[in-house]
Amino acid sequence: FTIFDTLFPYVLDPLMGHSWNSYFYHHVKHHHVEGNGPNDLSSTIRYQRDNIWHFLHYVGRFYFFIWFDLPSYFIRTGKLGLALKAAFWELSYYATLIFLYRSNPSATFAVLLLPLLLLRAGLMVGNWGQHAFVDHEEPDSDYRSSITLIDVAVSPSDFGH
């Protein structure tokens, strides 16, 4: 089962829209470390929330430059090994997509490229919404950077009832 357990994500992740290891390096090793603070590549703090151009910049930056931004982040934070791994997996996945697209454009688009584009758009829209009210005074606060309430006791009186 070790071989199956090791290889399974490399088959299943692309079918769900993830490039190889992208979730691990971006979400686990970066986003959770930075907590949507100012150093988080997914942070929404620098954007005007009601400006379509800011939203398109936010989504476009992730779409077109995550292959560069994430390794650069790891280099800036002294994690050269993570930078090399993140760059290798992302760029090798793109190379694989190009190879497969040249072999069979329709199948590659439907099975791998469309899920990648849709998932990334969905993740960025979700992050934009979840972190809509980041506190500029405490942008690193885990409690003041998200609209998500998990394990927080809330009573009707908290909402003015």
Side-chain angles (χ1 to χ4, degrees):
F1 290 111
T2 301
I3 292 172
F4 178 77
D5 192 42
T6 302
L7 297 179
F8 188 70
Y10 294 95
V11 174
L12 192 59
D13 285 1
L15 298 176
M16 295 189 298
H18 284 292
S19 57
W20 296 317
N21 295 313
S22 61
Y23 180 85
F24 177 74
Y25 290 112
H26 184 267
H27 198 80
V28 176
K29 293 293 187 178
H30 165 68
H31 185 62
H32 276 280
V33 171
E34 294 297 342
N36 204 52
N39 296 321
D40 191 337
L41 298 174
S42 299
S43 178
T44 60
I45 198 165
R46 292 174 193 83
Y47 294 96
Q48 186 175 328
R49 307 302 308 188
D50 60 351
N51 186 318
I52 188 67
W53 300 113
H54 282 224
F55 174 73
L56 292 174
H57 179 269
Y58 178 74
V59 173
R61 180 177 172 216
F62 185 79
Y63 255 109
F64 299 109
F65 296 108
I66 195 61
W67 63 271
F68 178 78
D69 283 346
L70 187 59
S72 297
Y73 161 82
F74 285 132
I75 290 169
R76 279 192 313 275
T77 57
K79 300 171 184 165
L80 182 60
L82 289 177
L84 294 172
K85 290 175 186 177
F88 170 78
W89 286 113
E90 194 71 10
L91 295 175
S92 66
Y93 186 69
Y94 296 160
T96 301
L97 285 176
I98 291 167
F99 171 77
L100 292 173
Y101 191 84
R102 287 182 176 167
S103 301
N104 191 333
S106 298
T108 303
F109 180 79
V111 175
L112 299 173
L113 194 54
L114 187 59
L116 178 71
L117 297 173
L118 290 173
L119 179 71
R120 289 201 171 175
L123 291 172
M124 295 313 292
V125 168
N127 200 63
W128 182 267
Q130 182 181 11
H131 299 289
F133 305 110
V134 177
D135 187 340
H136 288 271
E137 293 178 20
E138 290 185 56
D140 290 318
S141 170
D142 288 335
Y143 303 104
R144 302 177 88 176
S145 70
S146 176
I147 61 169
T148 306
L149 297 175
I150 300 174
D151 293 332
V152 176
V154 178
S155 70
S157 63
D158 293 330
F159 297 101
H161 291 103

